[in-house]
């Protein structure tokens, strides 16, 4: 897709498509090649996937979760017997947390 490696006999419409694809790949590389922007991208993808694939069980205040000082982790028991867990460092970036056993999700408000 690199513009410098285009063949001379490629139709104009296809050249435009290839250039557009190159631009998309370049933008993705810039996002995923930087640790900070990759983290933001991964968190957004995780949240998008959770809302599309799993049912929202409840909205929970962070203060209502159990705080484990040793592990620096907030946890809440799920009705299935599993747990919802979120680390202290994730609390600013993550609003949806899935159960470690079933498909239920809680939203941290």
């Amino acid at each position: 897709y690199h513009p410098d490696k285009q063949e001379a006999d490629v139709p104009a419409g296809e050249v435009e498509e290839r250039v557009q694809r190159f631009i998309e790949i370049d933008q993705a590389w810039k996002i995923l090649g930087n640790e900070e922007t990759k983290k933001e991208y991964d968190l957004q993808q995780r949240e998008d996937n959770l809302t599309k694939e799993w049912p929202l069980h409840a909205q929970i205040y962070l203060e209502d979760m159990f705080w484990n000082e040793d592990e620096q982790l907030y946890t809440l028991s799920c009705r299935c017997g599993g747990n919802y867990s979120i680390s202290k460092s994730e609390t600013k970036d993550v609003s949806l947390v899935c159960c470690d056993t079933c498909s239920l999700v809680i939203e941290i408000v």
Side-chain angles (χ1 to χ4, degrees):
Y1 295 109
H2 196 282
D4 293 343
K5 298 192 180 204
Q6 297 294 323
E7 298 169 6
D9 61 343
V10 175
E14 191 173 327
V15 169
E16 288 179 31
E17 289 176 19
R18 290 181 181 192
V19 169
Q20 184 59 39
R21 182 72 175 142
F22 175 78
I23 291 169
E24 291 169 358
I25 292 168
D26 184 57
Q27 288 173 339
W29 176 251
K30 287 176 183 174
I31 290 170
L32 299 177
N34 177 295
E35 280 299 316
E36 192 64 32
T37 56
K38 182 181 183 312
K39 181 181 175 183
E40 291 173 22
Y41 175 83
D42 289 344
L43 289 171
Q44 183 61 48
Q45 288 298 308
R46 177 181 176 205
E47 189 167 310
D48 289 348
N49 287 338
L50 288 175
T51 56
K52 290 178 189 170
E53 296 177 13
W54 294 329
L56 186 63
H57 173 63
Q59 292 182 318
I60 304 292
Y61 290 101
L62 191 61
E63 300 81 36
D64 293 335
M65 297 180 77
F66 174 76
W67 171 245
N68 182 320
E69 185 69 36
D70 295 334
E71 295 181 24
Q72 295 287 295
L73 195 68
Y74 289 95
T75 59
L76 180 73
S77 295
C78 180
R79 67 181 184 197
C80 75
N83 287 302
Y84 300 101
S85 301
I86 184 168
S87 69
K88 185 175 184 178
S89 62
E90 293 177 314
T91 58
K92 294 178 182 171
D93 300 320
V94 176
S95 62
L96 298 173
V97 181
C98 62
C99 175
D100 61 5
T101 305
C102 73
S103 63
L104 294 177
V105 174
I106 59 169
E107 181 178 18
I108 307 296
V109 290

